[in-house]
Amino acid sequence: MLESLDSWLQPWAAYVADHQALAITITAIHVLAMFTAGGLAVATDRRVLAVMTSSLRTDPTVRRLTLEELASSHAIVIAALAVTFSSGLMLLGADLATFTASPVYWAKMSAIVLLLLNGIRLRLAERRLRTMAPDQDRALAASTGALRQSAAVSLVLWFTIVLLGVTLGNS
């Protein structure tokens, strides 16, 4: 199946190989979109981790502002990830055999899947916090803890993805 896909993608691979400016443009778009998504996600994750758990539980204003910041950053992060995914598919199609044979590539893809799953967990915790009353201490503590854990995991995964991407680009 991989051989069939590789032969089907051969015209694209040849076109990209013959047009260095296109290869550079796709790579630049990929890196800039990842930079946008990751940079905003890291900044937002830092904000979540900086806000004291007790403040999120006891101060509805802090909770509302933090959740609004999360929601507004998610739209941009998701859009930038869509561009990253699209440009990544173009790069993959230009050199399918090399990428699919690379353990680093598969490690990066695994980290991206974990990042997406973690993002779902973060969004669920955010939604739960949005609907809770301040007097629901136990539920607030659990959702706040999940939000903070997701932010910490997100930081680690973003740095891992960048490291693996640089490794992949230089192997």
Side-chain angles (χ1 to χ4, degrees):
M1 184 171 122
L2 191 57
E3 290 174 12
S4 297
L5 185 57
D6 193 37
S7 68
W8 186 76
L9 289 169
Q10 195 54 43
W12 170 251
Y15 188 80
V16 172
D18 291 342
H19 296 85
Q20 186 178 14
L22 177 62
I24 291 168
T25 300
I26 295 169
T27 302
I29 290 169
H30 187 71
V31 171
L32 290 170
M34 189 179 304
F35 177 78
T36 301
L40 185 56
V42 165
T44 304
D45 292 338
R46 284 190 65 236
R47 168 80 173 123
V48 167
L49 292 172
V51 174
M52 297 299 292
T53 303
S54 60
S55 295
L56 279 174
R57 274 197 306 245
T58 60
D59 189 338
T61 303
V62 170
R63 186 171 72 229
R64 183 180 52 78
L65 290 174
T66 302
L67 294 174
E68 284 175 10
E69 185 177 343
L70 267 172
S72 68
S73 72
H74 283 148
I76 297 167
V77 169
I78 290 168
L81 281 173
V83 172
T84 303
F85 180 76
S86 300
S87 58
L89 283 177
M90 287 185 234
L91 292 169
L92 175 64
D95 199 358
L96 185 67
T98 300
F99 285 120
T100 57
S102 170
V104 176
Y105 172 79
W106 292 110
K108 182 181 175 187
M109 292 306 104
S110 298
I112 290 169
V113 168
L114 291 173
L115 182 73
L116 293 173
L117 292 173
N118 186 64
I120 292 168
R121 181 177 184 236
L122 188 140
R123 292 295 301 261
L124 291 172
E126 173 195 341
R127 285 186 184 142
R128 281 192 302 272
L129 279 169
R130 220 177 259 292
T131 61
M132 288 182 193
D135 61 348
Q136 294 177 296
D137 282 342
R138 200 170 203 187
L140 280 170
S143 291
T144 302
L147 187 67
R148 289 174 56 88
Q149 285 174 348
S150 291
V153 168
S154 174
L155 284 171
V156 170
L157 287 170
W158 275 110
F159 292 128
T160 301
I161 289 165
V162 169
L163 176 63
L164 290 169
V166 169
T167 303
L168 187 60
N170 288 298
S171 57

